[in-house]
């Protein structure tokens, strides 16, 4: 039984390529496409496996793209439980512009899901996560999925005696009542939840503590991009500076961060050290092109640098 089980409700077949320049109405000649299995839980399971910890992904999938997604996971040896659905799994498309170094990401909404399909996903999660130490829930909710779905995931997780790490936003975050051990919003997502500008660290801490004070989460880790991250508990907070790396693609960086935090906790790291491992994994993912997973050596090198500096 894996220590980490991750669930996402909106996986994707990630397709990435590059072209010299993106020009309106022109036919754009692209490089050969790369195909990767994508979506929150799948990215988490891939990252955990890269770091040497077994994780299992639970997700719904259907149609030709769903079959391709499963084939890629089987080929990569990623443990998973697929819940068949009537709709077709979405495609996510990323194009890198070689001339400018810019990246264009096209993200589709995903298939409509019935109540019965949603309940089957929860039942499969409850079975797959029996004995797991951590459940990770991340990714968007496709059409038809109730905003309180992740609260149902939290209830299942509590019933299993596991801890939940959650990365969500919008209505799904506003629907959370409790049961989250660690919540990882971005700075933008925290602003949207709070309904106000959060320009200073103390304002961000205050908003994070609103989530803690109302019982939604025990710990909040706010990812702030080039400004690093903010670790907030009921009693303490710490601003963690960003790791300076060359950025090639932002795809999957947030999922890598959550996955590596879970890996650190599985290894028995103190919370702060686990978050630093998450930041190292997120930074390493920024260094990889398109939708490629990060390299373990990059994660370990960046993490070792943090430890050496005494951060």
């Amino acid at each position: 039984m894996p220590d980490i089980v991750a669930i996402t409700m909106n996986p994707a077949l990630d397709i990435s390529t590059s072209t010299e320049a993106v020009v309106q109405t022109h036919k754009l000649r692209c490089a050969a496409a790369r195909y990767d299995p994508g979506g929150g839980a799948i990215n988490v399971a891939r990252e955990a496996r890269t770091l040497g910890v077994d994780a299992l992904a639970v997700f719904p999938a259907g149609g030709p793209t769903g079959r391709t997604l499963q084939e890629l996971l089987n080929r990569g040896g990623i443990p998973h439980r697929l819940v068949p659905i009537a709709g077709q799994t979405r495609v996510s498309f990323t194009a890198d512009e070689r001339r400018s170094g810019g990246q264009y990401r096209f993200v589709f909404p995903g298939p409509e899901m019935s109540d019965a399909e949603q309940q089957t996903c929860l039942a499969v999660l409850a079975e797959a996560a029996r004995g797991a130490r951590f459940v990770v829930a991340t990714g968007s909710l496709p059409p038809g999925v109730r905003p309180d779905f992740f609260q149902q995931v939290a209830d299942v997780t509590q019933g299993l005696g596991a801890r939940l790490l959650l990365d969500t936003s919008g209505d799904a975050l506003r629907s959370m009542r409790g049961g989250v051990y660690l919540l990882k919003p971005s700075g933008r997502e925290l602003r949207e939840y709070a309904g106000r500008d959060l320009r200073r660290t103390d304002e961000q801490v205050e908003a994070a503590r609103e989530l803690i004070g109302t019982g939604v989460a025990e710990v909040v880790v706010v990812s702030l991009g080039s400004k690093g991250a903010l670790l907030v508990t009921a009693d303490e907070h710490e601003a963690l500076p960003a790791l300076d790396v060359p950025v090639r693609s932002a795809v999957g960086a947030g999922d890598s961060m959550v996955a590596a935090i879970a890996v650190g906790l599985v290894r028995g790291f103190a919370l702060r050290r686990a978050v630093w491992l998450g930041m190292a994994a997120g930074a390493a993912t920024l260094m990889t092109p398109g939708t490629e997973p990060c390299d373990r050596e990059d994660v370990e090198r960046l993490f070792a640098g943090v430890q050496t500096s005494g951060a």
Side-chain angles (χ1 to χ4, degrees), residues 95-107:
D96 292 332
E97 186 180 58
R98 294 189 293 270
R99 179 181 298 175
S100 67
Q103 185 177 79
Y104 296 83
R105 300 170 64 181
F106 301 87
V107 180

Side-chain angles (χ1 to χ4, degrees), residues 168-200:
T168 192
S169 61
D171 289 341
L173 178 54
R174 285 186 284 271
S175 297
M176 295 303 300
R177 301 184 306 276
V180 179
Y181 169 61
L182 186 148
L183 177 70
K184 193 212 73 65
S186 67
R188 175 185 57 79
E189 291 164 348
L190 185 62
R191 286 195 301 272
E192 291 174 352
Y193 174 83
R196 60 187 186 273
D197 286 338
L198 305 172
R199 299 185 181 183
R200 303 192 312 269

Side-chain angles (χ1 to χ4, degrees), residues 51-67:
L51 296 177
V53 172
D54 287 335
L56 181 143
V58 175
F59 59 91
T65 50
R67 290 193 293 273

Side-chain angles (χ1 to χ4, degrees), residues 183-188 190 204 208 220-225 228-232 257:
L183 177 70
K184 193 212 73 65
S186 67
R188 175 185 57 79
L190 185 62
Q204 295 165 348
V220 177
V221 177
V222 187
S223 55
L224 298 170
L230 183 63
L231 169 59
V232 183
M257 182 178 183

Side-chain angles (χ1 to χ4, degrees), residues 26 37-38 46 71 94 101 113 115 121 133 147 157 159-160 164 170 173 179 196 211 218 276 278 307:
H26 284 219
R46 291 171 76 196
E71 290 171 6
T94 300
M113 287 186 64
D115 287 340
C121 288
R133 294 173 59 190
T157 302
L160 295 171
L164 176 64
L173 178 54
R196 60 187 186 273
L211 287 158
E218 296 179 40
W276 270 120
Q307 303 306 301

Side-chain angles (χ1 to χ4, degrees), residues 54-96:
D54 287 335
L56 181 143
V58 175
F59 59 91
T65 50
R67 290 193 293 273
T68 301
L69 187 69
Q70 186 171 32
E71 290 171 6
L72 290 169
L73 288 168
N74 289 337
R75 195 181 306 164
I78 307 299
H80 60 277
R81 292 285 303 275
L82 184 153
V83 178
I85 60 172
Q88 178 159 295
T89 299
R90 64 181 176 146
V91 167
S92 181
F93 180 69
T94 300
D96 292 332

Side-chain angles (χ1 to χ4, degrees), residues 117-180:
E117 290 169 337
Q118 296 171 49
Q119 292 307 308
T120 300
C121 288
L122 290 169
V124 170
L125 173 67
E127 178 186 352
R130 190 174 292 116
R133 294 173 59 190
F134 295 94
V135 171
V136 180
T138 181
S140 60
L141 296 178
V145 176
R146 292 174 46 177
D148 69 348
F149 182 84
F150 284 138
Q151 181 59 56
Q152 297 179 66
V153 170
D155 295 340
V156 169
T157 302
Q158 283 191 309
L160 295 171
R163 283 181 158 183
L164 176 64
L165 280 68
L166 176 63
D167 184 358
T168 192
S169 61
D171 289 341
L173 178 54
R174 285 186 284 271
S175 297
M176 295 303 300
R177 301 184 306 276
V180 179

